[in-house]
Each structure stands twice: as C-alpha cells, then as structure tokens.
Amino acid sequence: SILFLAIAYPFVSLESSWIPLLAASAVIAYCGDLVFFLAIDRMDASIFNISWAIIAIILSIVGFMFFGESWSVLQTVGVVCILSGVVLLSYWHHHITWGALGLLFALAILYAPVSVVMKVALEDGEQILTITFLILAIREGSAFLFPLCWPTLRRQIVSLPTKVDAVFVWVSGLVVAVYFVGEYFLARALAV
C-alpha cells in the first residue's frame, strides 16, 4: 500500500479543506479493518453479507436524511428482504451468534462514516483523486504505523520477510491494487 501511495503521491493534489474529517473517517475505517480481521478469524466469510447489507442501509438512511435522496417503498421492501434473508440463512446454518452479529453491526458502523465524509467532500467540490488518495494514505498509514507501536506485532513484522515468498508479495500487490481501484470507483459512484 505504501509503495503504491508513494508512486501516486506526485500526481495528486493534497490541498483540501476536508483533511480533518477525511483523516478521522479514515482512522475509523481502519478500526473497522481491525474489527473485520477479528471477525473473519471467528466466523465464516459467507455471513459478512450482513455487514454489507447494514452499511447499505446506513448509507441509504444518511442519503435520505442529509442529501435529499429518496427512498421508495420498493427499496424498503428490498432492505427487509436482504436483511431477513441473510440473517435467516445464517441462523439456518448455525453460523452466527449474537456476539458475531454484534461484530457485524460494529463493522458496518465503523465502515459507513468514510463513505459519508467522501460524499460530503465531493458535494463540496473536492477532487475525486484527492479525496481517494488522502483517505487511503491515512488509512493505510494507520495500518502501517499501528503495528509498529506494539512490541509483539513489531517482532512478527521483523520476522515476516523470512516467512513470505515472491508469490505472496505479488498476490498482495494485486490485492492492494484492486482495493485502491475499488476505492476510486466508490468515490466516483458517490460523486454521481
């Protein structure tokens, strides 16, 4: 992530009046990343659809309340069907507990603010690349610096180069590239 950001840095304007809110939302999203990794370690990946459905609902409510977007009866029915279906299937297969459901709600709540702040900044006329870069730089910078503050994690990081091979590095690079492109298109979608 840091390598990609360093390459992009000279091509992006970093001037924005939204830096404090972008930074706060990026740090909150990084906390969401921590909850995500905690949750994925404890439950099946298939039930994470609950979080994504909750995020969509949160963003729809925020859009309705603050951005003058409309919410039709059909969207309400869709929300109820999606949540009911995901929860029903998860309980049917016994993949979820109340604690897991709490983690999934926390995940949605932590991931939603970054999209809201992006939307507000875009409506204020900020550039898509600037917003995307700043959020990614702060979020990924947090992910880079936070583990260095913990002695146990720092020791694991120091020993990591002896445990990974070139395939891992290339796959990680591909994942980061796809993630960054996804974040860019998220910002473009919010701008529309």
Side-chain angles (χ1 to χ4, degrees), residues 30-91:
Y30 171 65
C31 293
D33 293 340
L34 296 176
V35 171
F36 175 78
F37 288 117
L38 176 70
I40 200 134
D41 192 42
R42 297 174 180 208
M43 62 186 88
D44 293 342
S46 62
I47 64 169
F48 279 86
N49 291 325
I50 294 172
S51 280
W52 313 146
I54 295 167
I55 290 171
I57 293 168
I58 291 170
L59 294 178
S60 294
I61 292 169
V62 169
F64 175 74
M65 292 176 66
F66 298 106
F67 298 111
E69 297 173 3
S70 61
W71 191 336
S72 68
V73 174
L74 187 58
Q75 284 174 299
T76 304
V77 171
V79 165
V80 170
C81 288
I82 289 169
L83 283 178
S84 300
V86 171
V87 171
L88 180 67
L89 287 173
S90 297
Y91 272 111

Side-chain angles (χ1 to χ4, degrees), residues 49-162:
N49 291 325
I50 294 172
S51 280
W52 313 146
I54 295 167
I55 290 171
I57 293 168
I58 291 170
L59 294 178
S60 294
I61 292 169
V62 169
F64 175 74
M65 292 176 66
F66 298 106
F67 298 111
E69 297 173 3
S70 61
W71 191 336
S72 68
V73 174
L74 187 58
Q75 284 174 299
T76 304
V77 171
V79 165
V80 170
C81 288
I82 289 169
L83 283 178
S84 300
V86 171
V87 171
L88 180 67
L89 287 173
S90 297
Y91 272 111
W92 187 278
H93 294 290
H94 306 289
H95 290 161
I96 191 166
T97 63
W98 284 107
L101 194 58
L103 275 177
L104 296 173
F105 269 99
L107 182 62
I109 290 167
L110 291 169
Y111 276 162
V114 75
S115 294
V116 173
V117 172
M118 286 173 85
K119 176 73 173 172
V120 172
L122 287 164
E123 290 209 348
D124 192 43
E126 294 292 330
Q127 298 294 317
I128 292 172
L129 281 176
T130 300
I131 290 170
T132 305
F133 182 86
L134 288 171
I135 285 175
L136 288 172
I138 294 163
R139 188 172 178 173
E140 298 302 306
S142 298
F144 183 76
L145 295 174
F146 176 74
L148 296 178
C149 296
W150 293 85
T152 306
L153 294 174
R154 194 170 44 244
R155 282 190 294 276
Q156 291 174 353
I157 291 168
V158 169
S159 70
L160 188 62
T162 62

